[in-house]
Amino acid sequence: MPSEVLQQAKEEFTNWNGHGCSILEMPFTGKDFKEILHQAKMRLRSLLNIPTHYQILLMHGGASAQFSLAPLNLLGNQTCADYIETGHWSCRAIAEGLRYCRVNIAASSRENGFIRIPLQDELQLNAKAAYCHYTSNETANGNQFHSMPESGNVPLVVDMTSDFLTRPIDVARYGMIYASSQKNIGSAGFTVVIIRDDLLDRASHITPHVLHYKAQSEANSLINTPVTFAIYLAEMIFRWIEAQGGLQAMARNALARSSQLYRAIDESNGFYSCHVLPDSRSHVNVCYTLKNSTLTPLFIKRAAEHGLVNLGGHSALGGVRASLYNAMPEKGVTTLIDFMHQFSQEYQR
Ligand code: PMP
């Protein structure tokens, strides 16, 4: 979270906008919260240039719920969907997709340990697929699509949870985009779904009402109580991104932060290494290992003593992961690089 946003939230916490009450105490049906929701959606629409024939839904259940909600809402009469398998989170989406339809793995980098993003000409797409799903940034594996895959007439569905709002995108080339809020939209609580109008009417009849895209779209995402506080924070984050120069600025910063760190890893004489191939490396989650892996717990502990916290890799993969979301100041990266240098000097043999 940007410190300016946390500070403002702190100041307003008990008395929002001079109303004598906290956001936490406001009814979601009242005009004040509805105005916050309206502003949040408007600012998001403007940041991403979302065309008018796309709806913005704020859903419950995290991005993981979308692993089931995409097939439930989008399969229509079709029985198959394409999935591109690039790491931990796309595997989770595939496992859930398999409960609802035939999954065609259009491409996979599993054989290489997910160290690269498949190329466009490797994709074996099924023209009868209801949609083609991919994960734009694999948060746990540290790989990222730097250009979006093409899926022809099949709607492209993307899990953008960890790189949402880190760069400009062309929304009109997607059928649906989803991202949960806890990375670049502020605090945990909701999932943004951006969906093209013509895909709203394909849901299976067993889709729960509160998780039904069309129903939520018609109810302005207010079928039931939304996470009001997280939406309030998101609106402030969108304003903060605007003030920083928008998504172009976010992309520049993400590239500057991550390339400094990859350079430090690549120039460490093998003390640290990143297995992801250079063209596929994430600008958001930098995942790397220590040559002597027995030193990893000590590295993480010593880093924390330097104020560099949460550097452990994903629980399924281990190693080290520096998550460089939008609010990470450049100083965070330079401090980490200095620490890595000191640590390697001390333990290099
Ligand atoms: N997809 C990606 C790419 C993620 O990084 C995460 C969370 N780290 C998820 C899905 C799951 O998100 P949630 O916890 O909101 O269900």
Side-chain angles (χ1 to χ4, degrees), residues 49 69 81 206 219 282:
N49 251 320
L69 295 180
I206 60 162
S282 169

Side-chain angles (χ1 to χ4, degrees), residues 14 26 33 38 217 222 312:
T14 52
M26 274 183 197
F33 176 71
H38 171 69
S217 163
L222 294 174

Side-chain angles (χ1 to χ4, degrees), residues 62-64 67 89 135 137 139 159 161-162 180 182-183:
S64 303
F67 298 163
W89 289 107
T135 306
N137 183 77
T139 324
D159 173 1
T161 292
S162 46
S180 53
Q182 66 270 25
K183 313 283 189 206

Side-chain angles (χ1 to χ4, degrees), residues 189-243:
F190 66 92
T191 303
V192 168
V193 172
I194 300 167
I195 182 163
R196 210 172 62 207
D197 282 346
D198 62 295
L199 299 176
L200 282 169
D201 222 356
R202 300 187 177 187
S204 151
H205 70 281
I206 60 162
T207 309
H209 189 57
V210 290
L211 303 173
H212 190 293
Y213 294 156
K214 187 165 185 223
Q216 278 294 14
S217 163
E218 286 172 354
N220 190 25
S221 302
L222 294 174
I223 291 179
N224 65 332
T225 316
V227 270
T228 52
F229 196 75
I231 293 169
Y232 152 80
L233 290 175
E235 196 272 333
M236 290 201 280
I237 298 272
F238 299 153
R239 265 191 279 155
W240 177 83
I241 295 176
E242 279 166 19

Side-chain angles (χ1 to χ4, degrees), residues 56-72:
I56 301 171
L57 317 178
L58 306 184
M59 310 275 296
H60 291 294
S64 303
Q66 297 303 321
F67 298 163
S68 331
L69 295 180
L72 269 171

Side-chain angles (χ1 to χ4, degrees), residues 269-288:
N269 291 323
F271 189 88
Y272 305 104
S273 54
C274 169
H275 300 295
V276 181
L277 301 185
D279 286 353
S280 300
R281 288 179 176 179
S282 169
H283 294 178
V284 186
N285 303 100
V286 177
C287 297
Y288 56 104

